[in-house]
Amino acid sequence: MKKIIAILSFFVLQTNLVDAQQWFQDMYDPNVNFFVVQQEFNDWWQLNKDSLQRENGESELEGKWVLYKRWEHQMLPAMAASNGVRLGDFDSAAYYFNRQRNHGPVERSSSAWSYIGPQDAFRIGNINCKGHLNCVRFDPFNSNTIFVGAPSGGLWKSTDAGQTWVLMNTDTLAQIGVTDIAIDPTNNQNIYIATGDYASNASISIGVLKSTNGGATWSTTGLTWTTTQGIEISRLIMHPQNPDILLAATNKGIYRTVDGGVNWTHVSAFQSIRSMEFRPGDPDVIYACSNRFYRSTDGGTTWNVVTNGLPATNMVNALAIGVTPADTGCVYVQASSSAASSTAGYNSIAGLYRSADGGSTFTLQSTPSQLLTQGSYDLTIGVSPLNSNILVVGAVTTAYSDNGGLNFKYATAVAHADHHDMQFAPGSGSAIYSA
């Protein structure tokens, strides 16, 4: 199994925030204008950048600088249009910044993962930067050709099963964050990307872009918006038999096109949809979830809530879906508990559920007790395309089951923490790629 690690991304830092910096307090007060906070930080930085030291003599500045700059980067696109006023819409940047700041120490995982790269990180000044990817997708004609999307680093492609990577022509786009990828199963020159970063708001979506020449150039589709609207796409799926039909799951509901992206219909107003899948072998049936599970039987035109066998919505803060062509009626749902775990800043797994009737009813299989999550930030399921009883679940770390989720084996070797997407290689029951 291979672990795909981001080529362009960010890293996790722990910082000591006992200092009563005004800028830090005001970041969490939506009544304070963004540009006031910005000036407060700049003033504080000029006064303190040469004096702050950790006990071991190592500079503490990098952590504080990154802490603020990450928040500023997420907020800035929307602030120019509002003149810095933060009241009104949900302040997603502040929410996710606060959630990440409160993380405890990163818990490391292990399995038979191999590190592909990069060997060196890029740098911003004195800051050494690495980070994560959002998604892994395979070329429908050649499984050695893999595409990955980075939260604020564009679309990348490998033609040798992940050994080497090239950046596609995304650096000059209005938004270079890529949260999902859909490739035409009849013509791999047609590629769609969902812009932005749903998991951590490292970049704000401007909609869905399309390429008809394998990623050499890109054009907008009918699903287009500005960053000030605050819409994020979590999942972009394409009908396996009709490439003109696509569905985009967002924090504002589900959008559907039947003409290759020219026109889109807002088919559902369900909020915070984070996962969506076609039923293998029957694309009229589609599954989607937030902290609820939804099911459509007419190709995504209408949707119903499914509750039979699943936990109550007040008990969970996110769900993830896994399906497999090995058993078209099989649907797995992994639930992140809304209650805090014994490890500060993390949630436990509320349960792994399985449906045998195409998502109409579910049964609790087990509760992977050693897994921790951060809600919708890192929650994913990969199911073998050859055997529906073989699956890997990902959160902060990973776990493997070969009996349909009744029991799990937990990873123990060092690997990158936080799993956002896990995919078995097409036609393989053992090669798994994780972003």
Side-chain angles (χ1 to χ4, degrees):
M1 297 187 287
K2 300 182 178 180
K3 170 70 182 175
I4 306 298
I5 300 183
I7 298 173
L8 292 177
S9 41
F10 58 83
F11 63 101
V12 177
L13 279 169
Q14 295 292 325
T15 58
N16 181 3
L17 296 173
V18 297
D19 314 74
Q21 296 115 14
Q22 190 63 43
W23 60 266
F24 181 77
Q25 298 174 23
D26 287 346
M27 281 195 302
Y28 300 102
D29 184 351
N31 294 287
V32 180
N33 188 282
F34 167 82
F35 294 109
V36 171
V37 180
Q38 187 180 61
Q39 188 61 53
E40 288 174 346
F41 173 83
N42 290 337
D43 292 343
W44 174 85
W45 179 256
Q46 289 301 317
L47 290 172
N48 293 280
K49 64 181 180 180
D50 296 324
S51 61
L52 291 179
Q53 295 289 321
R54 288 187 179 153
E55 290 183 3
N56 62 6
E58 182 182 353
S59 173
E60 190 181 68
L61 294 177
E62 292 184 2
K64 293 182 183 264
W65 184 87
V66 169
L67 203 62
Y68 169 77
K69 287 297 182 179
R70 197 176 278 172
W71 176 84
E72 182 186 56
H73 170 74
Q74 294 174 2
M75 291 291 291
L76 191 58
M79 291 298 99
S82 68
N83 293 319
V85 176
R86 292 190 280 157
L87 290 174
D89 292 337
F90 170 62
D91 191 344
S92 60
Y95 171 78
Y96 285 109
F97 176 85
N98 183 56
R99 189 180 70 180
Q100 292 175 11
R101 177 181 70 85
N102 288 328
H103 287 175
V106 175
E107 184 173 310
R108 297 189 177 272
S109 63
S110 112
S111 189
W113 298 100
S114 59
Y115 181 74
I116 292 177
Q119 298 304 321
D120 299 310
F122 73 94
R123 300 182 69 83
I124 301 176
N126 294 323
I127 309 301
N128 191 32
C129 301
K130 286 188 178 180
H132 79 263
L133 296 174
N134 280 328
C135 59
V136 182
R137 301 290 177 259
F138 297 90
D139 186 294
F141 297 99
N142 184 351
S143 61
N144 286 324
T145 298
I146 308 170
F147 295 85
V148 295
S152 54
L155 177 68
W156 293 78
K157 178 181 179 181
S158 172
T159 58
D160 53 14
Q163 297 304 308
T164 59
W165 296 86
V166 295
L167 176 64
M168 307 300 286
N169 188 26
T170 51
D171 265 2
T172 58
L173 298 177
Q175 179 54 271
I176 63 173
V178 177
T179 197
D180 205 0
I181 308 156
I183 307 169
D184 187 338
T186 65
N187 181 356
N188 60 4
Q189 294 299 295
N190 297 329
I191 304 173
Y192 297 79
I193 56 174
T195 59
D197 174 38
Y198 186 89
S200 60
N201 281 54
S203 57
I204 308 300
S205 180
I206 58 171
V208 173
L209 302 181
K210 180 179 181 179
S211 174
T212 57
N213 52 19
T217 60
W218 298 89
S219 60
T220 58
T221 67
L223 194 61
T224 301
W225 44 70
T226 65
T227 56
T228 58
Q229 292 176 264
I231 302 176
E232 290 288 9
I233 305 173
S234 60
R235 189 79 169 92
L236 182 65
I237 61 174
M238 179 182 288
H239 193 290
Q241 299 163 9
N242 185 346
D244 285 336
I245 299 175
L246 295 95
L247 291 97
T250 78
N251 58 338
K252 303 294 185 181
I254 299 172
Y255 295 82
R256 182 175 184 263
T257 179
V258 297
D259 54 15
V262 177
N263 299 287
W264 296 77
T265 303
H266 193 206
V267 294
S268 167
F270 297 133
Q271 299 291 295
S272 302
I273 303 297
R274 68 168 308 276
S275 184
M276 185 166 58
E277 300 290 343
F278 284 104
R279 174 174 176 166
D282 185 1
D284 282 339
V285 178
I286 309 172
Y287 315 115
C289 67
S290 53
N291 65 338
R292 291 179 171 90
F293 184 86
Y294 307 100
R295 184 173 182 265
S296 173
T297 58
D298 55 11
T301 303
T302 61
W303 295 83
N304 295 302
V305 178
V306 175
T307 59
N308 196 331
L310 291 172
T313 55
N314 65 334
M315 302 297 292
V316 297
N317 56 19
L319 303 176
I321 300 170
V323 296
T324 172
D327 181 352
T328 61
C330 175
V331 187
Y332 287 102
V333 168
Q334 182 176 209
S336 168
S337 174
S338 57
S341 71
S342 58
T343 302
Y346 293 91
N347 303 94
S348 59
I349 295 294
L352 188 284
Y353 298 82
R354 181 173 182 170
S355 171
D357 55 11
S360 295
T361 62
F362 287 85
T363 302
L364 175 65
Q365 300 295 94
S366 65
T367 302
S369 59
Q370 295 184 34
L371 285 187
L372 296 175
T373 83
Q374 295 155 80
S376 61
Y377 178 70
D378 49 7
L379 195 68
T380 182
I381 306 174
V383 188
S384 167
L386 307 180
N387 185 337
S388 63
N389 287 320
I390 295 177
L391 65 148
V392 176
V393 294
V396 176
T397 54
T398 62
Y400 168 87
S401 175
D402 58 9
N403 61 3
L406 296 175
N407 303 100
F408 281 93
K409 300 174 184 177
Y410 297 90
T412 55
V414 174
H416 187 271
D418 299 337
H419 298 262
H420 308 280
D421 185 28
M422 306 190 80
Q423 300 288 335
F424 278 78
S428 173
S430 59
I432 308 169
Y433 290 77
S434 176

